[in-house]
Amino acid sequence: MNPTVTGGGVRRSAQRLAADRSRVVTMLFVPGREGFDRQEPRTSAVVSRILALDDDEVERSLDDVAARFEHRHRDLIDTFRRHADELAERLDPRCQLSERRRLLLGATFTNEYAIEGAALCNPSMVAHPDQTGIPEGSLRFVMSVRAIGEGHRSSIEFRTGTVDDRGKVNIEAAPRFATRGVTETVPLDAVVFRSELRRLRSDGESADYVLDALGEQFTVAELEERLTRLQAQLATRRQDGSIISLMRRIAERTYDIRFPEDTSLAERVLLPAIAAERNGMEDARFVRFEHRDRAVSYFATYTAYDGVDIAQQLLETTDFRAFTSSPIVNLAANKGLALFPRRIGGRFAALSRSDHETNTVVFSENLRLWEDALPYQVPTQTWEVLQLGNCGSPIETDAGWLVLTHGVGPMRTYRIGAILLDLEDPTRIIGQLREPLLSPAPDEQDGYVPNVVYSCGSLVHAGTLILPYGIGDSAIGVATLSLPVLLADLAAS
């Protein structure tokens, strides 16, 4: 099957990624907490039943579980041990469990979660940190994807692949296993706390009492010690105890997640780890960021969703094995913050959308604090009349910052457009396509969300723009086009 060529020289690759329901991870399963109508956990009753089984039944049941599931997971037996440890407080200290019964207990409180059980969409593509061992002239890439599973809960997955010296894209098959990381606490930033409390109108003397004693950075333990002191003084302070729970929620939003060294990059899955993102980690926009000393980091902004409210989070990594997630105090945007790949005029810069429909640029001295959005694009064409947004971080070219946009028009159809911003003043548009670059083709209209083509980030290699895009929030396609041709079209517009 050959690539298809559409108007404007856009070529759609024949290779598409669809949701794979066999990609599963394990989770701790608490009976009584699995539905929307939450009940009291039935943990104690279930533990009693496992303890009452005779040894032969334990052996048969554990052998059955191992035969059916061991080939689907890395280190499944270790998972059972960890989950059994979660139940230690439910057991009589005098109770001596055999290793087999302990494993069956852990298995009983384990379930599989299909990461892509509902959909796969909204990709973002960056150059891979490891470019060794590939053909000359080729580029290895990392593509993040939004995987949607049970309960419409979103996670961040990865795929890898290469682009050759002619711009041909090959996405490698997903590995056999999907693996979760281990979360750890990290130092907290006072600037983030003060800014977020101010945004929520919860700053005041109680917040100052806690933060003034902690310095610019502090640990979770140091914060807890200060909150304990505040708790003892609430009767004499103007704010009630809600400030304590609020500060704990802000603290929870900063964490590390690390993966074992023997896991491949495409095996790693970032699953919701905190209350703010329990219903999803949505639309990660990755960018390869070059610092002033030429060191490279990979950043991604994503939307954390708890089922009611959204919040912006920042991911940072250098190797895609260890990540730090921290809150973004986003006074200048609602969703879709996309970082520029370097500083501009000494400051960090990002694309934003402060009013749900207008594209803006924001500048900051701090990656976690964004204010004062500067509008640069308003809807003017029919295909974008409902709203505008970005499709990922700007791409630097000699002609200007290439920005792919999304526009929403009649019948809530999402299309992808392109504009060119001035390199020194990205609030100034110097080129703009009047027609969409990419619209849903007839075979792309159907999906989990119909009539949508959408991307969270592209890259350029060998004079070719590589544009991965979600199709109907159900699958992922890849389009390519000549960068010189696109820049010429933008210059002529």
Side-chain angles (χ1 to χ4, degrees):
M1 186 175 178
N2 295 320
T4 57
V5 182
T6 60
V10 176
R11 300 173 66 88
R12 283 173 162 86
S13 170
Q15 187 174 20
R16 284 187 177 177
L17 300 183
D20 179 357
R21 295 178 180 175
S22 71
R23 287 187 62 73
V24 291
V25 294
T26 55
M27 290 185 170
L28 181 70
F29 175 72
V30 181
R33 292 290 179 88
E34 65 272 23
F36 291 102
D37 183 17
R38 296 267 175 127
Q39 307 167 14
E40 284 299 312
R42 293 178 278 107
T43 306
S44 296
V46 175
V47 169
S48 296
R49 292 174 196 138
I50 295 296
L51 298 181
L53 296 174
D54 64 49
D55 290 343
D56 288 343
E57 180 61 21
V58 168
E59 292 291 329
R60 286 193 299 270
S61 297
L62 189 59
D63 287 344
D64 172 66
V65 170
R68 290 189 295 124
F69 295 101
E70 205 163 16
H71 67 287
R72 292 163 65 88
H73 302 277
R74 180 190 290 272
D75 300 328
L76 183 62
I77 298 303
D78 285 344
T79 298
F80 291 163
R81 289 193 183 100
R82 288 198 310 274
H83 289 178
D85 289 343
E86 296 273 352
L87 303 165
E89 295 298 323
R90 300 277 182 169
L91 300 174
D92 187 321
R94 297 167 296 178
C95 179
Q96 296 295 317
L97 294 184
S98 69
E99 176 68 0
R100 300 282 285 177
R101 193 177 296 268
R102 180 186 176 207
L103 292 176
L104 182 61
L105 181 64
T108 304
F109 286 85
T110 301
N111 75 302
E112 286 188 326
Y113 172 75
I115 312 155
E116 306 171 13
L120 193 70
C121 58
N122 299 357
S124 173
M125 188 179 282
V126 291
H128 197 294
D130 180 7
Q131 294 295 324
T132 60
I134 59 173
E136 184 176 354
S138 295
L139 177 79
R140 180 179 289 126
F141 63 79
V142 179
M143 185 170 70
S144 69
V145 299
R146 177 183 176 188
I148 304 175
E150 181 180 349
H152 195 78
R153 180 165 53 176
S154 300
S155 306
I156 300 171
E157 282 193 281
F158 301 101
R159 298 289 188 274
T160 55
T162 56
V163 185
D164 68 16
D165 56 0
R166 296 170 298 165
K168 183 179 179 181
V169 180
N170 177 59
I171 303 173
E172 298 165 354
R176 175 184 175 191
F177 297 122
T179 299
R180 306 176 62 179
V182 176
T183 58
E184 303 171 354
T185 60
V186 293
L188 307 174
D189 190 335
V191 171
V192 170
F193 271 76
R194 292 188 187 279
S195 300
E196 182 70 346
L197 290 169
R198 185 172 68 252
R199 183 183 73 84
L200 298 171
R201 296 182 174 86
S202 294
D203 53 336
E205 65 167 346
S206 293
D208 289 341
Y209 171 80
V210 174
L211 296 173
D212 286 350
L214 292 175
E216 291 305 308
Q217 285 201 323
F218 47 90
T219 66
V220 172
E222 289 168 338
L223 174 65
E224 279 299 319
E225 189 274 335
R226 199 67 185 166
L227 291 177
T228 299
R229 291 192 181 190
L230 175 62
Q231 180 72 51
Q233 300 179 26
L234 285 180
T236 61
R237 292 184 176 273
R238 285 179 290 182
Q239 289 173 299
D240 61 25
S242 62
I243 187 66
I244 295 176
S245 60
L246 176 56
M247 295 183 81
R248 283 175 174 151
R249 289 200 300 273
I250 297 172
E252 183 193 47
R253 288 175 57 192
T254 299
Y255 64 95
D256 270 2
I257 184 163
R258 297 178 181 272
F259 292 87
E261 290 187 16
D262 61 350
T263 57
S264 67
L265 194 158
E267 182 179 335
R268 300 164 191 161
V269 185
L270 296 170
L271 287 149
I274 57 176
E277 59 194 27
R278 62 174 166 256
N279 277 63
M281 307 167 72
E282 301 179 357
D283 300 348
R285 286 162 160 79
F286 274 86
V287 64
R288 182 184 183 275
F289 188 92
E290 188 169 305
H291 298 273
R292 285 180 285 201
D293 63 359
R294 308 304 295 272
V296 170
S297 296
Y298 293 86
F299 294 115
T301 58
Y302 68 93
T303 300
Y305 180 52
D306 67 3
V308 177
D309 298 314
I310 62 171
Q312 294 291 294
Q313 291 282 118
L314 178 72
L315 276 176
E316 180 177 0
T317 185
T318 58
D319 57 6
F320 288 86
R321 188 180 77 84
F323 298 81
T324 297
S325 181
S326 54
I328 296 175
V329 182
N330 199 353
L331 304 180
N334 47 75
K335 295 179 70 173
L337 198 73
L339 300 175
F340 282 71
R342 62 169 174 83
R343 290 175 183 256
I344 300 176
R347 294 185 295 170
F348 297 109
L351 302 177
S352 170
R353 191 180 66 202
S354 58
D355 61 359
H356 297 267
E357 62 180 21
T358 301
N359 277 331
T360 59
V361 173
V362 285
F363 296 94
S364 178
E365 301 292 338
N366 189 324
L367 280 167
R368 294 164 183 81
L369 176 60
W370 300 90
E371 302 180 83
D372 302 327
L374 304 171
Y376 68 87
Q377 185 188 18
V378 298
T380 58
Q381 308 300 318
T382 303
W383 59 273
E384 60 188 19
V385 70
L386 287 173
Q387 74 177 46
L388 281 169
N390 67 71
C391 279
S393 292
I395 298 171
E396 187 169 8
T397 73
D398 291 339
W401 293 108
L402 174 62
V403 175
L404 299 186
T405 65
H406 72 261
V408 185
M411 292 297 291
R412 198 183 173 229
T413 300
Y414 278 67
R415 295 178 170 93
I416 296 175
I419 60 176
L420 199 64
L421 304 180
D422 185 83
L423 284 176
E424 301 302 321
D425 179 11
T427 65
R428 188 167 73 90
I429 297 177
I430 57 177
Q432 180 174 356
L433 297 185
R434 301 301 172 187
E435 297 297 326
L437 190 66
L438 195 71
S439 299
D443 68 342
E444 295 173 339
Q445 284 189 266
D446 299 328
Y448 192 45
V449 182
N451 306 308
V452 172
V453 290
Y454 189 90
S455 181
C456 288
S458 307
L459 60 76
V460 168
H461 178 66
T464 301
L465 176 67
I466 315 298
L467 169 56
Y469 64 99
I471 303 168
D473 276 12
S474 297
I476 292 172
V478 178
T480 59
L481 67 156
S482 165
L483 180 63
V485 169
L486 174 58
L487 294 177
D489 289 344
L490 285 164
S493 60

